[in-house]
Structures are given as structure tokens and as C-alpha cells.
Amino acid sequence: MGLSRVRAVFFDLDNTLIDTAGASKRGMLEVIKLLKSKYHYKEEAELICDKVQVKLSKECFHPYSTCITDLRTSHWEEAIQETKGGADNRKLAEECYFLWKSTRLQHMTLEEDIKAMLTELRKEVRLLLLTNGDRQTQREKIEACACQSYFDAIVVGGEQKEEKPAPSIFYHCCDLLGVQPGDCVMVGDTLETDIQGGLNAGLKATVWINKSGIVPVTSSPIPHYIVSSVLELPALLQNIDGKVSMSV
């Protein structure tokens, strides 16, 4: 960690600034209601949603060979087929997917205290949103939570040659803001992408948001700092800058 003050903060989006996991869960609950009320499914409704959740967690998306809508509709189609048997039901799969997606987006909001924090931080440092994922999916989330005005720049991994944890995307972010890696702090909830990426790129500091207090496996990348909420960041940045003052 260099002796310069923090000049820029890179924020992850999902489960760092917005509750993507919670929004997805609410989407699944709406689909379960639909399957039970309109199609008279019983416990199969929960099973289908559980299967889709597993498919989403293992998802490999290649933007040049497929579109995210087709891929995710297929997750639902396969889950229905695996649970219920019978003929493929693309129409039902589409209905489930679009209900899940629209409900999820409705619940992707930037909380007022997070908006206030970003507004205050931006008076002192430059802010950049750095999110991995498919271009369409991430841009829809950004639109839904209306966070554009809080950042000096927004970088979506799916629009770049490489995503986090590749150093190249971090260097691109530095170039956009006119700063050096040693001026920047990365804040995110995923050790393998946010923290490893920040370490790979030689950023000043990495901050891991560990909401649930999980103990990482020993082989995991080690963040410089751990907080349980993104709202702890302003005090932490003062601490980081305080260490610089004492060193100088």
C-alpha cells in the first residue's frame, strides 16, 4: 500500500450496493405462487425454483453464442422438464423467467443510506461502479436501481475483454478516472473476483463485505480490510488515509 491518499473507490454492484440475492428470492416466491395458483403445482413449484437457483449459480454465459434471455429461459425449461417430465414447455418457462426477472428488478433498489453515503464520498474521492456479468443483465440492474448519477464512471465486465479478477479491467477503470492503481480501493462481497482482482491489479486496498460473517477457506485471497456492511466504508477510508498521514 503506497503513501498517497485514496483518490478513487471502485464498488461492486450485486450484494454490495444492492441486495441482488434478496431480490432474486422474492422473484422465486412470485413464481412459486404462479405455479401453485394458475397451474396447480404443489411441492414441485419449490423444487423447480431450487433447480433454477442451482443452474444460475453454475451458469456459463458466452455472449457470442447465445443471448441471456434464451439461456435463462432454458434454465426454467430444463427445471420444469426434470421435475414434471412430459413434453418441453417453453411457453411456461418464458412466463416463469419473465415473472422472476421483472420481480427481481423491482426489488433492486439503492437504499437511502447508501445513496447518502455515495453522495458524501463523492465530495472527497472519485467513484466508479465495476460489475461483472452479461451486458444486458447488468445494465438492466443499473437502470432499475437508478445508480448512474452517483458515479463518475460505470464499467460492466461483459462489455470488456476481461472481467474481474483480471488486472486489465482494473487498469481500464484507473484510466477512466485518471488515477493510478495505488490511489484506489476496491469494495465488494466476492473474494474470488473483487478482492483477488484488486490484489492482482496492485490497488491501494481491498475491502471485503462479509455480511453473514462467513469464514473463508484458507486458500481464499486475503483482503486488506473486512466489514459487515458497505456503510462502514467512510470511517474505514478515514482510517486508511490516517495511516498515510502517520507514515508521512
Side-chain angles (χ1 to χ4, degrees), residues 50-143:
D50 288 346
K51 285 179 187 289
V52 170
Q53 197 60 59
V54 171
K55 291 175 193 295
L56 286 167
S57 70
K58 295 177 177 174
E59 190 172 83
C60 285
F61 177 63
H62 303 290
Y64 305 109
S65 57
T66 184
C67 87
I68 197 74
T69 301
D70 288 344
L71 178 68
R72 291 192 165 168
T73 303
S74 294
H75 293 336
W76 287 97
E77 192 172 20
E78 288 163 14
I80 294 163
Q81 169 69 20
E82 288 161 14
T83 307
K84 292 284 284 180
D88 288 349
N89 196 335
R90 190 75 177 176
K91 198 166 182 308
L92 176 57
E94 284 174 356
E95 191 176 359
C96 291
Y97 168 62
F98 285 111
L99 176 60
W100 170 76
K101 177 182 160 174
S102 62
T103 306
R104 183 168 103 121
L105 286 171
Q106 278 165 28
H107 289 98
M108 286 187 179
T109 52
L110 211 52
E111 299 294 341
E112 291 304 319
D113 49 6
I114 291 182
K115 288 181 188 174
M117 177 195 73
L118 293 172
T119 302
E120 285 306 305
L121 280 178
R122 201 164 169 211
K123 293 173 184 174
E124 305 293 330
V125 295
R126 309 205 72 189
L127 301 185
L128 181 140
L129 185 68
L130 174 56
T131 175
N132 273 4
D134 161 60
R135 177 187 184 282
Q136 180 191 329
T137 306
Q138 297 310 103
R139 289 289 172 187
E140 284 171 348
K141 290 176 189 172
I142 289 162
E143 198 71 37

Side-chain angles (χ1 to χ4, degrees), residues 22-36 45-46 49 53 76 99-100 103:
S24 292
K25 211 169 282 181
R26 292 173 90 152
M28 291 296 182
L29 290 173
E30 287 303 311
V31 174
I32 288 167
K33 274 197 268 184
L34 169 83
L35 290 173
K36 288 183 171 178
E46 279 93 350
C49 288
Q53 197 60 59
W76 287 97
L99 176 60
W100 170 76
T103 306

Side-chain angles (χ1 to χ4, degrees), residues 215-229:
V215 178
V217 295
T218 48
S219 59
S220 294
I222 299 167
H224 296 96
Y225 301 95
I226 303 173
V227 294
S228 59
S229 161

Side-chain angles (χ1 to χ4, degrees), residues 165 170 186 193-206 224:
F170 288 87
M186 177 69 211
T193 53
D194 302 316
I195 304 310
Q196 187 63 65
L199 295 170
N200 290 348
L203 298 195
K204 182 180 195 63
T206 53
H224 296 96

